[in-house]
Amino acid sequence: MEAKLNKSIFTAAVAALALTACQGQDNAGAGDSASRSQIRVVGSSTVYPFTTAVAERFAQSNPSFKAPIVESTGTGAGMKLFCAGVGAQFPDIENASRRIKASELADCEKNGVKQVIEIPVGIDGLAFIESNKSAPMKLTLEDVYKALAANPYGKPNTAKTWKDVNSALPAVAIQVYGPPPTSGTRDALAEMILEKGCDKNPEMKALKDSDSDKHKDICTKVREDGAYVEAGENDNLLVQKVEANPGAIGVMGYSFLEENADKVRGLPLNGVAPTSATISSFEYPGARPLYIYVKGEHVNVIPGLKEFLAEYAKAWGNGGYLTERGLIASPADVQASALAATTGLKPITAAELK
């Protein structure tokens, strides 16, 4: 026990020295070699408004700490920044609209980030939206796959209209505004919608076992002929584009749909509309958990980081101020484990991601 305690103290001390040293390098010539005194968060545009709300409340409740810096970089790009190393020039927290990948955790560990703490903060829906001026449309996961896949079932995509995809749908040009490859929402689109739509075909489902790489390429690669338009990480801009183009469809987080109900509405997927009830029950096919990842090496070094996590834990429950902003509260058992993670600070392992 004493050996373990001494090792923990030594590890914390090394982390603190590394953080201070890195800051000293960053501020060389600035006359300031002190450790960074401001929390820095990067990552998902979907989680961004929730973490921003927590940062604002944290700053109000803790005037002795500087207000956190929260950047919307997309989940994938944020993971690269987060996992790049330990030190003041690297972020403390990563917002993520999907779970960290085993390859990303390996990159973290390779760069000395060995204490990655996973905290689920709530549930969101991957919403498909259309302008309130459009004629209502209902889609299945297979419809979406056939419309957006580069090579549906292994053949080049030639569909120009939704009617080409499904004779029951209108002859409206396929124009879908969605997230770029760096976004966790794009990963969710691939894994939760396109792949499931693809696997409705028995041959594709069998291909997953015989050739997983080929299956992934056929089932998740998005067409690049203009039918799918990368709209960046700004979901408010995506709403504007969909509203201005009746017949176009957008892919975004449910919270932004709820905030813009006067402009756009959600499309049902497999007959289920995106609502707080269908998402919280995971009845809606696009329901997904949201996370923040915390760098354990920074917890006892960056001022206010522990208090920030405590503020987040107060905000994500039923009736919390984040649910008023569109976040859907996790089930009670998940909330309990998330709360335990903010205090126990137990790092996630590669085995837990399998």
Side-chain angles (χ1 to χ4, degrees):
M1 178 65 75
E2 183 178 353
K4 289 183 178 180
L5 181 60
N6 288 337
K7 183 178 179 182
S8 298
I9 293 172
F10 175 76
T11 301
V14 169
L17 287 170
L19 204 54
T20 302
C22 288
Q23 182 63 36
Q25 292 171 8
D26 286 349
N27 291 335
D32 180 10
S33 60
S35 174
R36 173 160 52 81
S37 59
Q38 198 167 23
I39 297 166
R40 184 182 170 209
V41 187
V42 295
S44 167
S45 62
T46 300
V47 185
Y48 172 82
F50 304 130
T51 298
T52 299
V54 174
E56 291 170 355
R57 190 68 64 95
F58 166 81
Q60 293 169 3
S61 305
N62 299 274
S64 61
F65 297 120
K66 290 184 179 180
I69 297 171
V70 185
E71 302 172 69
S72 177
T73 64
T75 299
M79 283 291 185
K80 289 181 180 179
L81 293 169
F82 178 81
C83 289
V86 172
Q89 72 269 48
F90 303 109
D92 311 305
I93 297 175
E94 154 76 357
N95 291 328
S97 56
R98 58 160 171 78
R99 202 174 195 195
I100 190 172
K101 298 176 182 178
S103 59
E104 291 168 333
L105 184 60
D107 285 340
C108 271
E109 293 176 346
K110 181 180 67 177
N111 293 322
V113 185
K114 300 179 184 296
Q115 299 176 35
V116 178
I117 300 150
E118 180 181 82
I119 303 174
V121 297
I123 306 170
D124 181 46
L126 183 66
F128 282 67
I129 64 170
E130 63 186 353
S131 170
N132 287 338
K133 304 169 189 172
S134 299
M137 189 159 56
K138 298 179 181 180
L139 301 173
T140 66
L141 300 188
E142 199 167 8
D143 292 336
V144 177
Y145 170 69
K146 289 178 179 178
L148 297 186
N151 300 288
Y153 309 126
K155 298 178 181 179
N157 200 332
T158 59
K160 301 296 182 183
T161 72
W162 288 101
K163 193 174 184 66
D164 294 334
V165 167
N166 182 338
S167 61
L169 295 174
V172 174
I174 299 169
Q175 186 175 27
V176 179
Y177 293 98
T182 54
S183 171
T185 300
R186 175 69 168 265
D187 292 331
L189 172 64
E191 295 168 12
M192 300 170 61
I193 307 298
L194 298 182
E195 187 172 338
K196 289 180 180 177
C198 178
D199 285 345
K200 293 292 183 182
N201 181 296
E203 291 182 12
M204 293 298 104
K205 194 171 184 179
L207 181 63
K208 190 171 187 177
D209 294 326
S210 61
D211 191 336
S212 60
D213 288 339
K214 186 176 181 180
H215 173 271
K216 182 177 181 180
D217 183 71
I218 292 175
C219 289
T220 66
K221 186 177 180 180
V222 176
R223 62 195 298 183
E224 298 177 347
D225 59 357
Y228 182 89
V229 182
E230 292 181 7
E233 297 287 358
N234 189 330
D235 287 327
N236 288 313
L237 182 60
L238 189 152
V239 169
Q240 293 172 20
K241 289 181 178 180
V242 171
E243 183 192 21
N245 292 279
I249 288 173
V251 183
M252 61 190 297
Y254 172 75
S255 62
F256 285 94
L257 165 60
E258 194 173 57
E259 288 176 9
N260 294 280
D262 58 325
K263 304 180 185 74
V264 295
R265 60 174 173 258
L267 276 74
L269 288 179
N270 285 0
V272 181
T275 67
S276 59
T278 59
I279 293 169
S280 63
S281 67
F282 286 89
E283 178 186 2
Y284 177 68
R288 57 176 176 167
L290 303 177
Y291 304 88
I292 61 172
Y293 289 91
V294 182
K295 194 168 292 178
E297 290 89 348
H298 287 198
V299 169
N300 292 314
V301 183
I302 299 298
L305 192 48
K306 282 185 177 180
E307 290 81 359
F308 181 79
L309 297 180
E311 179 61 41
Y312 223 128
K314 291 190 293 185
W316 65 46
N318 295 309
Y321 59 85
L322 290 185
T323 60
E324 296 174 1
R325 298 199 178 204
L327 182 71
I328 297 168
S330 299
D333 60 332
V334 177
Q335 288 187 45
S337 64
L339 177 59
T342 65
T343 54
L345 303 175
K346 180 182 177 183
I348 190 171
T349 64
E352 294 176 75
L353 297 177
K354 294 179 179 178

